[in-house]
Amino acid sequence: IAERTGVVTPEEIVIICGHYDSISPQPQTRAPGADDNGTGTAAVLHAARAAAGSYFERTVRFIAFSGEEQGLRGSQAYAQKMVEDGEQIIGVINLDMIGWSDPNPEDLDVIGNDASSDLVDLFIDCAGAYTTLPTLRVINGGATASDHAAFWTRGYPALLGIEDYPVNYPYYHTTED
């Protein structure tokens, strides 16, 4: 966990996260996890590096969770602690599997539940304003197989950025990832 404390409303927190664990049929000896989820973790590290010299109105936390492949264990524990501590999480951007491109044009699926639709729209607006990344807006509260869901269940707005939903990556959860 790394943090840039906000200078105006530091009690309001935005989280940028991914997970660094992986899974395969040989999880103890061969689970490389390049796309799932080396890509999301790399994006979190890059975002933290890019933010290092910047100041933000709100606090920004950069988190690499473990235990995602074992039932969101890291993010579940963290999100519960945030509830217990009364933390004001105003948005969670979860990046999971963002590096593989199927036949172009590829896009980033930006998934939220009903309570997170404003966050999804803001993310898509920012992507359109600052990048050439095509995005696809998906509101689907049933998409719960990644760390954003730990925040949804506790009432925090969160989104999942993923290359495709449902996942169609041919090396998903294999020793070839």
Side-chain angles (χ1 to χ4, degrees):
I1 300 172
E3 180 174 292
R4 292 293 295 167
T5 302
V7 297
V8 178
T9 52
E11 68 279 2
E12 294 181 352
I13 302 164
V14 175
I15 294 174
I16 301 173
C17 64
H19 71 91
Y20 63 84
D21 63 315
S22 64
I23 194 76
S24 78
Q26 300 170 17
Q28 301 301 319
T29 59
R30 194 156 176 239
D35 191 36
D36 186 17
N37 188 31
T39 57
T41 302
V44 171
L45 292 172
H46 182 71
R49 183 182 65 164
S54 300
Y55 295 95
F56 302 99
E57 288 185 18
R58 297 169 175 92
T59 296
V60 181
R61 286 191 186 147
F62 306 89
I63 304 174
F65 288 112
S66 65
E68 190 265 4
E69 300 292 2
Q70 291 75 39
L72 315 181
R73 295 174 90 177
S75 59
Q76 292 281 12
Y78 186 84
Q80 183 59 40
K81 176 119 174 68
M82 296 300 93
V83 169
E84 292 166 3
D85 291 350
E87 296 278 10
Q88 293 181 42
I89 309 290
I90 63 167
V92 177
I93 299 168
N94 175 41
L95 304 169
D96 192 347
M97 297 181 65
I98 58 170
W100 183 74
S101 179
D102 54 11
N104 288 328
E106 180 61 274
D107 61 18
L108 180 71
D109 294 2
V110 183
I111 303 170
N113 61 3
D114 289 334
S116 304
S117 63
D118 289 346
L119 179 62
V120 169
D121 293 340
L122 177 61
F123 184 93
I124 288 172
D125 288 348
C126 290
Y130 297 103
T131 75
T132 59
L133 177 69
T135 55
L136 176 64
R137 180 182 194 270
V138 179
I139 302 301
N140 179 352
T144 58
S146 192
D147 291 309
H148 63 284
F151 295 91
W152 283 358
T153 60
R154 289 162 179 85
Y156 293 122
L159 65 79
L160 167 64
I162 191 166
E163 61 212 21
D164 291 299
Y165 184 82
V167 172
N168 67 358
Y169 176 56
Y171 308 109
Y172 180 61
H173 291 176
T174 73
T175 58
E176 302 303 311
D177 181 9

